[in-house]
Amino acid sequence: MRARLSDRIAAQRARREQNQRTRVRRTCLRRDGVRCEVVGVDGARRWLLNFCSNDYLGLSQHPQVLAALHAAASAGGTASHLVCGHAAEHAVLEQALCDWQQAPRALLFSSGYAANLAVLQALLGQGDVCVQDRRNHASLIDGARLAGCTLKRYPHGDADGAARQLGAHPHGAAVLATDAVFSMDGDIAPLRELAAVACTQDALLYVDDAHGAGVLGPDGCGSVAAAGLGVDQVPLRLVTFGKALGGVGAAVIGTDALVEHLLQTARAAIYTTAMPPAQAAATAAALAVVQSAEGDALRARLQENIARFRSGAARLGLPLLPSVTAIQPLPVGEDGAALALSRALESCGYWVGAIRPPTVPEGGARLRITLSASHADDQIDGLLAALAQAPEALTPRPRTGI
Ligand SMILES: *Cc1c(COP(=O)(O)O)cnc(C)c1O
C-alpha cells in the first residue's frame, strides 16, 4: 500500500514538538545598526540587540554599500547569466573578486548553498569520492549527495583522518572539501595540513570560506590567504556575500580551467536567473570597503570585541568553545536548556539564537553568539551581565558530540 504523506508529516510534526525542535521565524521590522525591532513569540514588538547575525563588519547598512545598491537599482536579473542576465555590474564584481583573491577567475552564484551544490555536482560522479569534515556545512554534504559520488566524513579538524579516507579510495577522482571557519563552532580548519594531504593524495582541495572572507587574512581576503596558501594549493574556494560582505550571493574563485568548467557545466548556475545587478554593485562596494583602511579598522574593532567578550566570559566562568573568530558558541547541551537561555536573554533585550540538532550533533545544543564590529563595549558587557544572571549559561550539560 502507498505510504500516506499526510500521516508521515503529522507524525514528524508531533515528534518535533515533543522534542522541542520546532523552529520559528522571527520577523525583524526595523534595523538600526545592531538594534533590531523584532516581533516576539508572544506577538509583542520589542527592540533587541542583535548577537546572532553574520554581518560581522556591519556592511549590510554601510552608506557606500546602500548608495551602490540604489544607484544600480533594478528589480530582477532578467535571465540566466548565459542567456542575457550577465550585466556590467556582474562582470565588474567578478574582476574585483579575482583582484582581491589573487586568483585568475571567479564565477557568481545566487547563493553559497547553490554554489556548493554546483561545484561538487560539476566535478564528481559515480566512482569518485568526496572526503569532508564531519562538521561541514549542509550545502557541502548535499552537493556530494547530488553528485552521486561516495561521501566520506572524517573527524572534525582531523587531517590524518582525511588522508586515511582518501587513501582508502585510490581510484576515481577525489575532492577534499572543508569549511574554512566552521559555522556552528567558530574554529578554523587546519588548511595547511589539508593542503598537504590533498597534494599527496592527488585530490582537489575545495575550501568554503563563507565565514572567513572579509574578516580574516590581509585585506580581509580570507582563510586561504591567512594560511599562506593560494590557487596552487587550493584550486577552488567559495566566498559568500551574505556574511561579512553584508549582501547575498556567492562566487567560486579559482583556476581558469576549473572555473571555465563550472561556467559550462554547473547546473545550479546555468539553470537559474542571475542575481539582480544592484546586488552585484552593492557587493562590489562592500569589497571596496573591505580592502580600504576603513576595512582594516572594522576588522581591528571586531577583534577587540571578540577579545572583550572572551575575557569577560572567562571571568564569569562561561565555558565558551575555543574560537578566535566572530562566532563564539556557548555549549548548553540539552535543547530545552538552550531554548530557555535564549528566551531569558531575549527578556533582557538580547537576540541570540539557540542552535539545536540536526544543525549541531545530538546533545550539542548551544547559543551561537556572534560579534560584529558594530557592537559597542557596553552592549557586550550587557550581554555578559545577562548571561551571568542565567543559571543555564553556567552549568553546561553536554551529553555527546562536543
Ligand atoms: C552560510 C553558509 C553557506 C551558504 O551560503 P548562502 O549564501 O547563505 O547560501 C555555505 N557554507 C557555509 C560554511 C556557510 O556558513
Side-chain angles (χ1 to χ4, degrees):
M1 208 175 69
R2 189 187 297 289
R4 283 182 57 116
L5 269 179
S6 55
D7 291 349
R8 186 190 300 169
I9 289 166
Q12 288 181 1
R13 177 178 183 154
R15 206 174 323 129
R16 255 197 316 271
E17 282 170 5
Q18 193 184 359
N19 294 337
Q20 312 213 52
R21 297 250 164 110
T22 304
R23 303 171 186 232
V24 291
R25 296 178 304 176
R26 317 293 302 280
T27 303
C28 182
L29 302 166
R30 274 185 289 175
R31 291 178 203 275
D32 173 16
V34 293
R35 297 172 68 245
C36 296
E37 192 185 17
V38 180
V39 183
V41 274
D42 55 1
R45 299 171 167 206
R46 53 178 79 88
W47 282 92
L48 299 177
L49 287 172
N50 191 342
F51 279 94
C52 55
S53 115
N54 299 318
D55 187 16
Y56 304 126
L57 301 177
L59 294 184
S60 74
Q61 298 176 64
H62 192 285
Q64 274 161 248
V65 175
L66 296 180
L69 185 73
H70 291 146
S74 63
T78 72
S80 68
H81 284 275
L82 288 174
V83 176
C84 62
H86 193 62
E89 288 86 349
H90 298 123
V92 166
L93 175 58
E94 285 186 349
Q95 187 55 52
L97 286 160
C98 291
D99 296 343
W100 181 47
Q101 295 285 314
Q102 296 180 15
R105 282 285 289 278
L107 183 67
L108 297 179
F109 288 83
S110 310
S111 74
Y113 187 94
N116 279 342
L117 295 190
V119 165
L120 295 179
Q121 192 188 31
L123 296 179
L124 298 173
Q126 234 182 359
D128 298 332
V129 66
C130 187
V131 169
Q132 300 202 13
D133 190 288
R134 184 162 284 288
R135 299 270 173 97
N136 271 358
H137 192 263
S139 53
L140 286 169
I141 308 292
D142 293 354
R145 288 183 180 149
L146 187 63
C149 61
T150 300
L151 168 62
K152 288 288 173 191
R153 298 166 80 185
Y154 56 86
H156 182 49
D158 180 5
D160 293 336
R164 274 194 299 279
Q165 289 182 339
L166 284 165
H169 291 80
H171 307 296
V175 169
L176 171 52
T178 185
D179 286 17
V181 176
F182 289 88
S183 53
M184 296 300 136
D185 299 78
D187 58 339
I188 300 174
L191 293 179
R192 293 184 69 85
E193 286 91 330
L194 292 170
V197 167
C199 180
T200 44
Q201 296 287 338
D202 216 5
L204 186 150
L205 179 57
Y206 176 53
V207 172
D208 174 344
D209 203 15
H211 295 279
V215 286
L216 298 180
D219 277 346
C221 166
S223 309
V224 174
L229 302 171
V231 269
D232 290 343
Q233 299 83 19
V234 184
L236 277 183
R237 73 192 75 158
L238 174 74
V239 165
T240 67
F241 309 153
K243 274 116 193 185
L245 295 174
V248 66
V252 178
I253 294 156
T255 66
D256 183 54
L258 285 166
V259 175
E260 179 62 21
H261 178 71
L262 292 178
L263 174 67
Q264 299 298 331
T265 66
R267 297 172 64 84
I270 296 170
Y271 299 107
T272 196
T273 301
M275 75 168 64
Q279 193 56 60
T283 300
L287 258 189
V289 175
V290 156
Q291 294 174 269
S292 68
E294 184 186 355
D296 287 333
L298 288 170
R299 282 185 289 277
R301 177 71 199 163
L302 175 61
Q303 285 310 319
E304 283 168 23
N305 286 350
I306 295 167
R308 186 178 191 90
F309 178 72
R310 283 195 69 86
S311 63
R315 272 197 299 279
L316 291 172
L318 293 173
L320 292 180
L321 294 183
S323 159
V324 298
T325 67
I327 303 166
Q328 291 290 329
L330 178 63
V332 179
E334 310 232 344
D335 295 9
L339 276 179
L341 185 49
S342 165
R343 292 204 183 115
L345 290 175
E346 179 175 336
S347 69
C348 303
Y350 298 93
W351 192 4
V352 183
I355 309 287
R356 289 160 287 159
T359 306
V360 291
E362 287 296 328
R366 66 196 63 184
L367 287 189
R368 180 177 180 272
I369 298 162
T370 54
L371 294 161
S372 155
S374 309
H375 287 123
D377 289 354
D378 63 328
Q379 294 171 333
I380 294 169
D381 296 346
L383 174 65
L384 287 162
L387 282 165
Q389 299 297 312
E392 298 91 345
L394 300 161
T395 54
R397 283 161 289 172
R399 287 186 311 210
T400 55
I402 299 233

